[in-house]
Amino acid sequence: MKKFIAAFDGLDFSESTLQYAIHLTQKANAHLVGVFLEDFTRRSYGMNELAHYSGEDMDSYVHEMDEKDKHVRDESIDRFKKACSAAGISHTIHRDRNVALQELLHESIYADLLIIGSAETLTRYEEGLPTRFLRDLLNDVQCPVVVVPATYQAFDSLILLYDGEPSSVHAVRTFSYLFEDLKSLPTEIVSVKEQREAAVLPDARLIREYVRGHFPAADAVILKGDPDDVIIGYLQRKKNSSLVVLGAYQRSRFSRLFKPSMADHLLQHLKLPLFIAHNKS
């Protein structure tokens, strides 16, 4: 049985992450581990609240606040357990109490897939997308990741981003192995070429042969222009909701010096789940 892990901040529980995790776990017939990151530095209150406390017993006040945080975390875990039980999913709970990023990276060594919300910060503060926590996680994670938007929406199609590089093929292959039951969804393999280039897929014969064996009904879509602009524009125009599969969509070395990754742009401009699998070999 495959092992999926879903990461949660118990003080700011993500219902969307829960719903996506349940859906993906059911499709893969996997076991789901709820990883609740209880970093010892993560509290619902900060120095500002303590500075404005007017009582006499600060220690008791801090203890009271910590007990409230514990209650909220316990309620989040209870929500996870009840939802998994209702969905008939095999599940367990991990309460990781050390540094959140390091704990999650360690968990990822022993997982087939990690599911996490795109807005996760593991702090009391909101950040722009992608958050610093997510950037650091994606840089060193040891398993494929599905980054999900803040609001759950069932996807009904697949977009496979392909640029001829091994990392993009690795992502397609990894997704295929994990989700046999999703191969029947309408699927497009999307590539981008410069305006002056022929509108053919890189290594067209090989990639068509490979994809045909895993996604028999997949259509090829070739766009022209800058990958950041045309891929985002193409996905924004689509009427259905897609799950996007990507490794690392390559640019020239010069271009990469000045632009963030394709995943960053997709997170900033789209509200779609992203399956990201980096080839670390």
Side-chain angles (χ1 to χ4, degrees), residues 136-152:
D136 291 341
L137 175 69
L138 292 177
N139 189 55
D140 292 315
V141 71
Q142 297 297 314
C143 69
V145 181
V146 176
V147 183
V148 303
T151 302
Y152 174 76

Side-chain angles (χ1 to χ4, degrees), residues 185-234:
L185 291 178
T187 302
E188 293 178 343
I189 180 166
V190 176
S191 194
V192 181
K193 307 299 287 287
E194 295 183 8
Q195 293 292 349
R196 64 177 182 276
E197 292 181 308
V200 295
L201 292 171
D203 283 333
R205 178 180 62 84
L206 291 174
I207 189 61
R208 286 182 183 276
E209 180 181 66
Y210 183 79
V211 170
R212 192 182 306 121
H214 293 277
F215 302 90
D219 294 322
V221 175
I222 300 173
L223 307 173
K224 290 292 191 79
D226 178 78
D228 291 338
D229 297 332
V230 297
I231 289 176
I232 289 170
Y234 179 72

